[in-house]
Amino acid sequence: MKIIIYITIILSLCGIQKIYAITDTVMIKEPSIEEYITQLYIEIEKTKATYQEKYMNISLELSKANQSIVESNTNDQKLYWLLEKGKLKEERERLKLNELSDLSKIRYIKGLQIIKILYEKTLALDHHFASVSTFHEINKIANPNNYPEFKNIKETIGAKADKKKGFDLTNILGNNIYASVAHSFISLFTSDGTSKTQKEESLKDVECILDFTLRMHNDLNTIYFETVFLQKSNDNIIIELQQLFVDFTKPIKYKTPLKECRNSDDWDSVREHLDTYLETLNEALADDSKRYKAHKMQINLEFPIDRLLQFITQYNAFIDQGAKFYEKFGIMLDSYENEKQCASKIPVEYKKLKEGIIVAIDKFNTAYKPIEINGSKMKEVLYGLNEYD
């Protein structure tokens, strides 16, 4: 049974082995993380049930030995059953070590898979943040100076302005939306070379542009800077995850960094290092003189799992924060009350940004934060904790 468990564990390591169908043309998809956790949960329960049956058999044998000691008529018989009782107790202790070892291996391998999957998700998040509109794009739709209609008015005003009475803004103030708008309006309404009708027509051409940019300028910049903040936080998450992988693979003496392992698809090597570690552990478990070594090796498998649980808490907190940020972004973008009236003048980038925010919120609540990472089942799979025990 133990050999079967070992083979099952090794084949399931980090999704390293690609599973193909019997036919040459059909490839079976690897299970989702939720399906995989369910499978591991079942495997752990099966392992526990197998050992429980063995414990029951030993208990029955111990009861028989105790009864035989009481019923023995000679010292030789008593001595025989006392020795049998000692052997059974020793077998029970060895069985406990083997069970702990098997469960530790399953949880350790599950931890490696979760690290791999979380790394893919954090990389996807990094790509997402990088693909969000750059500051140049945000500035483009938030500054009226970038709209042809507003530029035309400024050029027209400049051409008709009385050079003796008028003045030009500096390059710095000319790019400031508030100074630029104020200057353009003052110039427009004080210009003697422009009729009232022309002024009204010019105002109609840019009223939606000015209304949109002046109302949304601060909100759009807030979205940009807070997205940069989230990206920096995600960078920190990636660094933490890479260090977690170092700590996690240290016991099996695998020294390649997570980024390099992923880029070079070196998971087979991880499997080989783990296989070697498990062989050494099995040898130690079989030798009573190496019991301390076996115990230490099991602890080395268990300890990184605690670090993983801490990281999962950190990761979930970051995803919760990101989801709330994006929900706020959605509210901010929906707050523009004249969107329908000015639909023809609002830039396409603004509408795309709104659509992207909606998609991002959904991803934060699903793709980036898989439900299966949380809950009592995950704690039991990873750490052997059951809240009902």
Side-chain angles (χ1 to χ4, degrees):
M1 178 67 184
K2 188 184 292 185
I3 294 175
I4 295 175
I5 293 172
Y6 292 167
I7 293 174
T8 302
I9 292 170
I10 294 299
L11 289 177
S12 63
L13 170 60
C14 296
I16 292 171
Q17 296 281 38
K18 293 183 178 179
I19 306 172
Y20 294 94
I22 297 176
T23 64
D24 294 332
T25 56
V26 181
M27 184 177 73
I28 299 175
K29 291 183 179 179
E30 293 184 31
S32 67
I33 183 171
E34 185 171 12
E35 292 169 338
Y36 189 85
I37 289 176
T38 300
Q39 292 171 10
L40 261 291
Y41 179 78
I42 293 172
E43 187 62 40
I44 285 178
E45 291 304 307
K46 284 183 178 179
T47 302
K48 288 181 177 179
T50 300
Y51 277 97
Q52 189 61 37
E53 183 179 349
K54 294 179 180 180
Y55 289 136
M56 288 294 295
N57 291 335
I58 291 178
S59 294
L60 291 174
E61 292 295 324
L62 279 171
S63 296
K64 179 181 177 181
N66 287 328
Q67 185 66 28
S68 297
I69 291 172
V70 173
E71 296 176 352
S72 293
N73 296 320
T74 65
N75 289 334
D76 288 342
Q77 289 177 331
K78 286 183 181 292
L79 178 60
Y80 171 80
W81 287 111
L82 282 171
L83 291 174
E84 284 297 309
K85 182 178 178 180
K87 290 178 182 178
L88 288 169
K89 286 185 176 181
E90 186 69 22
E91 184 179 347
R92 186 173 59 186
E93 289 301 313
R94 189 178 293 108
L95 198 61
K96 288 180 181 179
L97 291 174
N98 289 336
E99 180 187 20
L100 177 61
S101 175
D102 286 344
L103 294 177
S104 296
K105 294 163 199 168
I106 294 173
R107 295 183 187 120
Y108 179 83
I109 292 168
K110 184 60 202 170
L112 278 174
Q113 168 147 359
I114 290 176
I115 289 174
K116 181 186 178 188
I117 294 174
L118 287 179
Y119 189 55
E120 293 299 328
K121 292 184 182 298
T122 52
L123 291 179
L125 266 173
D126 186 63
H127 177 73
H128 163 76
F129 291 132
S131 66
V132 171
S133 297
T134 62
F135 181 73
H136 173 73
E137 292 298 322
I138 290 289
N139 183 63
K140 183 178 178 181
I141 64 175
N143 193 329
N145 291 298
N146 294 312
Y147 289 77
E149 295 89 342
F150 190 69
K151 287 182 179 180
N152 291 338
I153 287 182
K154 290 174 67 176
E155 291 172 0
T156 301
I157 293 171
K160 294 182 178 181
D162 187 337
K163 299 302 180 183
K164 294 181 180 180
K165 297 180 180 179
F167 64 94
D168 293 325
L169 291 174
T170 63
N171 289 334
I172 295 176
L173 290 178
N175 292 321
N176 182 286
I177 70 166
Y178 301 108
S180 179
V181 169
H183 176 265
S184 297
F185 265 80
I186 292 171
S187 299
L188 175 64
F189 290 113
T190 58
S191 173
D192 295 331
T194 306
S195 66
K196 179 180 178 181
T197 301
Q198 289 176 316
K199 293 175 182 179
E200 291 176 348
E201 289 177 353
S202 297
L203 183 58
K204 286 182 180 179
D205 286 340
V206 297
E207 62 178 344
C208 277
I209 293 171
L210 293 177
D211 183 67
F212 171 76
T213 53
L214 291 175
R215 286 176 186 267
M216 299 302 296
H217 177 74
N218 287 334
D219 287 342
L220 289 170
N221 278 323
T222 297
I223 290 172
Y224 166 76
F225 286 113
E226 291 190 350
T227 300
V228 171
F229 167 76
L230 288 173
Q231 186 173 22
K232 294 292 184 183
S233 299
N234 190 62
D235 289 343
N236 292 333
I237 289 288
I238 291 176
I239 292 172
E240 287 280 339
L241 190 53
Q242 290 171 338
Q243 182 58 49
L244 175 60
F245 183 75
V246 171
D247 297 339
F248 217 90
T249 54
K250 185 177 179 180
I252 63 175
K253 298 181 180 179
Y254 180 80
K255 299 180 181 180
T256 304
L258 177 57
K259 181 178 180 180
E260 185 179 335
C261 174
R262 186 250 186 192
N263 292 341
S264 61
D265 195 21
D266 195 39
W267 299 106
D268 281 341
S269 181
V270 179
R271 183 189 63 192
E272 291 168 2
H273 279 74
L274 178 61
D275 195 12
T276 300
Y277 188 87
L278 294 180
E279 288 177 3
T280 304
L281 176 56
N282 291 337
E283 292 173 1
L285 286 170
D287 187 345
D288 290 342
S289 65
K290 296 181 180 179
R291 182 164 294 184
Y292 174 75
K293 178 181 179 181
H295 179 63
K296 185 177 180 180
M297 292 182 73
Q298 287 176 193
I299 291 176
N300 287 339
L301 287 183
E302 287 283 349
F303 180 73
I305 295 172
D306 184 61
R307 284 272 289 111
L308 174 59
L309 290 175
Q310 293 175 26
F311 176 81
I312 288 174
T313 300
Q314 181 183 353
Y315 173 84
N316 284 342
F318 169 65
I319 296 300
D320 285 337
Q321 180 189 47
K324 289 175 182 177
F325 268 80
Y326 271 77
E327 287 171 3
K328 180 177 72 172
F329 296 163
I331 293 172
M332 293 167 72
L333 292 175
D334 287 336
S335 67
Y336 181 51
E337 57 190 31
N338 293 324
E339 184 174 352
K340 290 184 179 179
Q341 293 173 255
C342 297
S344 62
K345 295 292 185 180
I346 295 176
V348 175
E349 289 82 1
Y350 169 75
K351 297 176 182 178
K352 289 182 178 179
L353 185 58
K354 286 187 68 174
E355 293 170 355
I357 294 298
I358 294 173
V359 173
I361 291 173
D362 179 65
K363 285 187 175 181
F364 267 103
N365 292 322
T366 55
Y368 299 142
K369 183 186 179 181
I371 299 173
E372 62 270 10
I373 288 180
N374 306 301
S376 58
K377 180 181 286 188
M378 172 56 68
K379 289 182 180 179
E380 184 171 356
V381 168
L382 283 179
Y383 216 51
L385 297 177
N386 189 325
E387 59 185 335
Y388 299 109
D389 285 346

